[in-house]
Amino acid sequence: MVLIQTVESNSTYLTELYQWFKSEWDDVEPLATTKNGKVIPNPIIALENGELIGGLVFTRFLSPITQEQAVWVNAVFIKPENRKQRISSQLINHAEKMVSEMAEPELLVFTHIPALYSNLKWTVIETVDDHFVLKSSLVQ
């Protein structure tokens, strides 16, 4: 069974998760708890039998809608052998719940895999080359 949970920024699981991020992407933003004076939500991890199998981290950037600082999904990664099991969807759903409880007006993502999010009722709001900006429909 997969356990989805929020972890503090000093969790030992995050060292491994960030190694995975860096092996996948060259430009992963370092982990932070605040940006421009605003709180960044804690990371979310997926565990199976106590072993890290994936995670999601947040950041803050300007929203193309409001031009205000908004919460964005910075990165989602699932170990290759654990993919196609809807774990990323569970992480994203957990992220939506967290951000909604923070009373944030938006949760956004910049991705080259829009179907992952649109299948979860996210809306495309902008296209940039082969990447898409999507907005969660659950965060108001």
Side-chain angles (χ1 to χ4, degrees), residues 2-131:
V2 175
L3 175 65
I4 305 295
Q5 67 182 45
T6 305
V7 292
E8 297 296 324
S9 59
N10 62 353
S11 169
T12 55
Y13 288 114
L14 296 180
T15 302
E16 185 174 12
L17 184 61
Y18 265 81
Q19 288 173 346
W20 294 345
F21 289 162
K22 288 177 183 172
S23 70
E24 191 75 16
W25 304 287
D26 295 333
D27 59 349
V28 175
E29 189 174 281
L31 184 64
T33 56
T34 62
K35 187 171 182 180
N36 299 324
K38 297 215 174 206
V39 172
I40 296 173
N42 285 333
I44 305 168
I45 60 170
L47 300 172
E48 187 170 55
N49 301 321
E51 178 189 344
L52 182 68
I53 59 170
L56 178 152
V57 293
F58 300 94
T59 189
R60 281 193 178 266
F61 284 110
L62 288 180
S63 163
I65 301 167
T66 64
Q67 301 306 311
E68 300 286 330
Q69 285 287 325
V71 178
W72 292 70
V73 173
N74 188 26
V76 178
F77 185 88
I78 307 298
K79 284 174 62 175
E81 60 268 29
N82 295 99
R83 293 180 183 165
K84 305 291 185 200
Q85 299 174 32
R86 300 194 44 81
I87 297 165
S88 56
S89 295
Q90 291 177 56
L91 289 167
I92 294 164
N93 288 338
H94 192 92
E96 288 179 305
K97 184 174 187 268
M98 277 179 62
V99 172
S100 182
E101 288 172 358
M102 292 173 62
E104 286 288 334
E106 298 174 297
L107 177 58
L108 302 155
V109 68
F110 180 70
T111 182
H112 67 284
I113 311 172
L116 171 62
Y117 296 87
S118 59
N119 287 341
L120 297 172
K121 307 286 188 252
W122 287 52
T123 305
V124 174
I125 60 170
E126 195 173 281
T127 304
V128 181
D129 299 323
D130 63 342
H131 282 70

